[in-house]
Amino acid sequence: MSLLFEPLKWKGMELKNRIVMPPMANGKATPEGHVTQEMVNYYRERAQHGIALVIVEHSYVNSRGKAHEGQMGIHNDKTMDGLTTLVKTIKECGSAAVIQITHAGSQIEYTPSSFHPPLSASSVVNPALDAGPMPDCMSLQEIEAVTDDFYAAAVRAKEAGFDGVEIHGAHGYLLNQFYSPLTNLRQDQYGGTRDKRLALALELVSRVRQAVGSDFPILYRLGVEDGMPGGLSLEDGVYAAMRLEKAGVDLLDISGGMLGSRAGRSGPAYFEFASAAVKEMVTAPVLVTGGITDPHEAEKVLENKSADLIGVGRALLQDPLWAMKAQKKLVG
């Protein structure tokens, strides 16, 4: 029996295999952040061919946290009809559905008509961008407002019918900006020591748990290292994973920090080293994505006990039938 096609019982759900479609922005939302029919069709095309779990792309919790044009939002109740349609479609195809909620902070890649300077942990240009505007340092009142926005977004996710919610703490977005010493120069309760830089992430996990209740899964996409001098190290990432699990995270989704997958990463399963390090220190399931394109590569990661779930990104974009073909290769 292939490990990739073993079911996984997790937090009241049973995933039919270990294949996950990770969150990947597709730019198909309306200017207001609403779901479009094109987006529904895109997810249907992939969910109906044997994927166990679909994590819907990063969705902004307020308009100032929008990263780019075409990004989906979960920032107000007007998004609910489209979200409900989308999640219903995914689940009718036989996949579980989670949605990733996020705030871009200083990592914005467009200029909206009603432009305000972006917000971040400190007034530091985001090193993940080739060039970008100088962000405003968030006040304590603005931090509190963002936690309220994540709370409201999590409530919408549950009410729309999603099976769980994922908090985005990787790829140079706001929570990564608070944890990274490259972008957090604060001297208050949210800056300075590693614990203080991690405080906002832990508070958000607690706030989202209040929103969704004890039985609803919370995932966290963790940037385990920044890939830049002076940034987060693998040790910092493993430490954060342990603290996040203790705070109530039910699954760790392992990825890169400030540079995402651009920090010289190549070859198959290029974040396996990080997921293996995290998995040694937590009991929650671990998901790893990055450079996994061949079913045998995925199988090897599971055999190595480096992760419990496998995210298949670009390969699934190119071939929606990837999971079915993988099953034929590994199971027959």
Side-chain angles (χ1 to χ4, degrees), residues 77-253:
D77 290 342
K78 294 179 181 179
T79 63
M80 286 296 291
D81 287 346
L83 292 170
T84 301
T85 298
L86 178 59
V87 69
K88 181 180 179 183
T89 299
I90 293 170
K91 293 170 79 168
E92 284 177 347
C93 291
S95 295
V98 166
I99 188 167
Q100 186 184 77
I101 58 176
T102 187
H103 190 294
S106 60
Q107 183 150 266
I108 60 171
E109 301 169 8
Y110 78 118
T111 303
S113 57
S114 57
F115 180 74
H116 295 282
L119 297 172
S120 187
S122 300
S123 292
V124 176
V125 174
N126 193 312
L129 300 175
D130 294 330
M134 180 68 72
D136 287 341
C137 177
M138 292 179 73
S139 68
L140 295 180
Q141 291 77 16
E142 287 169 330
I143 291 172
E144 184 177 359
V146 163
T147 64
D148 289 342
D149 291 333
F150 271 88
Y151 178 98
V155 169
R156 292 186 190 105
K158 186 174 182 179
E159 290 181 349
F162 284 96
D163 297 302
V165 64
E166 178 171 90
I167 300 169
H168 196 352
H171 302 173
Y173 288 99
L174 183 66
L175 294 181
N176 194 168
Q177 292 161 33
F178 265 82
Y179 192 36
S180 175
L182 294 172
T183 44
N184 187 340
L185 307 180
R186 302 176 73 97
Q187 297 298 317
D188 60 7
Q189 64 263 44
Y190 294 104
T193 67
R194 182 164 63 178
D195 284 331
K196 288 182 177 180
R197 298 197 315 271
L198 189 60
L200 179 57
L202 299 176
E203 288 178 12
L204 278 180
V205 170
S206 176
R207 197 83 170 95
V208 169
R209 178 58 71 202
Q210 291 175 3
V212 300
S214 60
D215 296 330
F216 194 76
I218 297 175
L219 295 73
Y220 193 97
R221 192 161 219 197
L222 176 62
V224 289
E225 61 172 15
D226 283 334
M228 303 177 73
L232 294 171
S233 66
L234 178 59
E235 179 187 354
D236 293 323
V238 172
Y239 178 80
M242 293 188 294
R243 293 292 309 278
L244 289 162
E245 181 184 35
K246 188 174 180 180
V249 167
D250 301 300
L251 184 147
L252 279 306
D253 179 359

Side-chain angles (χ1 to χ4, degrees), residues 1-2 5 14 20 61 68 91 146-147 165-166 173 196 222 228 243-244 259 265-266 294 297 312 330:
M1 176 65 181
S2 163
F5 288 92
E14 182 167 336
V20 178
V61 300
H68 56 80
K91 293 170 79 168
V146 163
T147 64
V165 64
E166 178 171 90
Y173 288 99
K196 288 182 177 180
L222 176 62
M228 303 177 73
R243 293 292 309 278
L244 289 162
L259 290 183
R265 302 295 179 197
S266 62
D294 184 272
E297 296 166 356
V312 181
L330 297 176

